Amino acid sequence: MRRTVSIFGSTGSIGRNTVDLLCRQGGAEVYDVKVLTGAGNVTLLAHQAIELKADVAVTAEASRLVDLEAALAGTGVCATAGVDAVVDAANISVDWGMSAIVGSAGLAPTLELAKQARILALANKESLVCAGELVQATCTESGCILIPVDSEHCAIFQALAGGSNSDISRIILTASGGPFNDWTKSQMADATLEQAMAHPNWDMGQRISIDSATMFNKALEVIEAKQLFGVRSDQIEVIIHPQSIIHSMIEYNDYSIIAQLAAPDMRGAIGFALNWPDRPALPVDKLDFGAIAHLNFATPDEDQFPALRLARRVLKIGGLAGAVFNAAKESALDRFISGDISFLDMARLVESVLEDLHIKAGQGSSLDGLSAVMAIDLEAKERGFKWVPA
Ligand code: NAD
Ligand code: MG
């Protein structure tokens, strides 16, 4: 019987790579594709849905329904639209579901997928940052197996084959350092959007690329690691590793370290999640250690990258601090992209919103439900949009 799959965010960077892997592994002959979702790019969404013979294609933008229907006319693929339609489409049982919508908009569909999918391939790290306990509790209740697709967490998941969570001494998350690793803070003050988007190693969506330049991405990943692997905050370390060959490491209590290494290509992590527990060949480069020659490491400078310091503050506050942090970061990113605030203002904005809301955040819990998380997400975003640079 063909395996049933859905991809949420199929038109994005992770989504396109997932579609590529499905096609290479037999496409519609091997997979029974239930749902594909996108937002503005309905032409690509329709193309993917026709190629994979999906049952349903959903655009999150209600105004795009007419275009999507036109692109799918006579193909047998059903078109729906709107934010609620995306969540409804996640309420369809599948063997494997990919959560690859960007931002906290991915939380509601992720929670539905966690109820309906046998395996949840989770790229949308924001779900874990905003509502890690709720996502985990939902998976536990439904029996859904969560496989992290974020390359660092996928590496940790793989390295855990060498021991168990209770044997972990440290999780060492590697970070490339992004495009500004060698820049001074005063150079970073004038960083442009184009410079911030130019990631040295990974080909990713615009938002996560800029988050890598500020290291907000790594800050989110510290919180993600805490939510996924149940270690103490002081057991998670970040190390700069500019080559992005070691995707992350676990140090066990006996100080033996298990690392996962591969070329920096997200199809490695996506393919791992797609094929787990099998490991067939993937269309990624083999490592040539003679050509690599050097693997470098450095301790990150938290004055240059305040996001890392703020991540620890979030873990200390607990409760819904992750949701506040992520929402403030999303508003900061929107404002930087629109040219409204400077590169360094992003961390200032996030710190300010986090301090404004830390008491409220500390009193909440994602286990209070999705609406509690989305309420504080909205409040933090509103404050972020009103924040005035000094
Ligand atoms: P992207 O911007 O390239 O794609 C995002 C997808 O989400 C698109 O399909 C888009 O149409 C859809 N989308 C955007 N806003 C939406 C909304 N409001 N409602 C519904 N759908 C919406 O992003 P990406 O780089 O593919 O990243 C996706 C997720 O994976 C993010 O959470 C990111 O942090 C994570 N991730 C990405 C990479 C990477 O290499 N790109 C690596 C690790 C983790
Ligand atoms: Mg990552």
Side-chain angles (χ1 to χ4, degrees):
M1 217 168 56
R2 286 180 308 160
R3 201 176 171 206
T4 52
V5 303
S6 288
I7 308 172
F8 286 77
S10 67
T11 57
S13 168
I14 292 285
R16 290 193 307 274
N17 279 315
T18 309
V19 169
D20 175 59
L21 285 175
L22 289 181
C23 291
R24 286 168 188 266
Q25 293 192 178
E29 308 227 318
V30 171
Y31 298 99
D32 177 1
V33 179
K34 296 291 177 195
V35 177
L36 298 180
T37 82
N41 196 346
V42 292
T43 307
L44 175 61
L45 177 62
H47 177 81
Q48 292 175 329
I50 293 165
E51 184 166 25
L52 284 171
K53 298 192 170 65
D55 290 356
V56 186
V58 192
T59 165
E61 295 181 13
S63 62
R64 303 280 181 154
L65 181 59
V66 181
D67 297 339
L68 186 61
E69 280 174 341
L72 290 172
T75 64
V77 183
C78 171
T80 64
V83 173
D84 292 342
V86 174
V87 181
D88 288 347
N91 195 4
I92 294 174
S93 162
V94 282
D95 295 322
W96 191 85
M98 166 59 83
S99 163
I101 290 173
V102 67
S104 60
L107 175 57
T110 298
L111 288 170
E112 285 308 309
L113 265 184
K115 291 178 199 158
Q116 295 294 345
R118 198 170 62 77
I119 295 176
L120 169 62
L122 186 56
N124 178 261
K125 67 190 84 186
E126 296 89 343
S127 294
L128 289 166
V129 172
C130 297
E133 286 91 354
L134 183 57
V135 172
Q136 294 281 24
T138 309
C139 287
T140 304
E141 201 182 331
S142 67
C144 171
I145 298 166
L146 192 168
I147 304 193
V149 172
D150 210 353
S151 58
E152 296 75 2
H153 306 75
C154 185
I156 301 295
F157 186 95
Q158 294 180 55
L160 265 171
S164 65
N165 289 46
S166 58
D167 292 326
I168 296 175
S169 154
R170 274 190 301 167
I171 285 181
I172 304 161
L173 292 178
T174 52
S176 69
F180 303 147
N181 192 27
D182 300 326
W183 288 34
T184 63
K185 219 175 162 186
S186 60
Q187 285 175 306
M188 282 162 73
D190 297 322
T192 66
L193 178 60
E194 219 170 37
Q195 289 167 326
M197 276 165 48
H199 198 280
N201 304 338
W202 296 94
D203 177 14
M204 307 185 286
Q206 182 196 46
R207 299 181 75 85
I208 186 173
S209 297
I210 302 167
D211 284 351
S212 298
T214 50
M215 284 189 75
F216 268 113
N217 181 49
K218 207 52 56 181
L220 296 176
E221 290 180 357
V222 167
I223 303 164
E224 182 186 11
K226 164 95 175 126
Q227 297 294 356
L228 278 171
F229 303 112
V231 292
R232 295 186 316 272
S233 310
D234 65 340
Q235 290 176 290
I236 306 169
E237 276 186 31
V238 173
I239 191 92
I240 304 268
H241 165 47
Q243 292 88 0
S244 300
I245 297 293
I246 299 179
H247 294 322
S248 277
M249 309 180 241
I250 295 179
E251 178 190 73
Y252 286 101
N253 287 327
D254 58 4
Y255 300 142
S256 182
I257 292 179
I258 309 279
Q260 187 260 341
L261 288 72
D265 183 332
M266 283 310 293
R267 288 181 300 182
I270 299 166
F272 174 83
L274 179 62
N275 296 308
W276 181 87
D278 300 329
R279 304 200 71 142
L282 293 173
V284 296
D285 291 340
K286 268 188 180 183
L287 288 183
D288 175 352
F289 284 96
I292 296 167
H294 299 286
L295 296 177
N296 301 94
F297 304 96
T299 305
D301 176 348
E302 294 195 0
D303 182 48
Q304 189 185 4
F305 297 111
L308 295 174
R309 173 174 54 77
L310 295 176
R312 277 203 308 281
R313 175 89 178 111
V314 168
L315 291 177
K316 198 158 175 214
I317 299 167
L320 291 171
V324 170
F325 180 68
N326 177 68
K329 192 277 300 172
E330 288 190 26
S331 63
L333 193 52
D334 284 336
R335 290 184 66 179
F336 175 68
I337 291 170
S338 68
D340 186 27
I341 62 173
S342 75
F343 184 81
L344 295 180
D345 278 341
M346 286 193 272
R348 297 180 186 120
L349 180 158
V350 173
E351 183 158 24
S352 165
V353 174
L354 186 60
E355 289 318 314
D356 282 355
L357 290 176
H358 80 276
I359 294 175
K360 190 172 184 178
Q363 289 165 347
S365 162
S366 67
L367 295 173
D368 295 339
L370 175 64
S371 51
V373 181
M374 294 322 286
I376 208 159
D377 170 273
L378 185 64
E379 188 174 356
K381 280 180 182 159
E382 281 171 0
R383 281 178 188 259
F385 283 113
K386 283 188 197 142
W387 179 81
V388 182

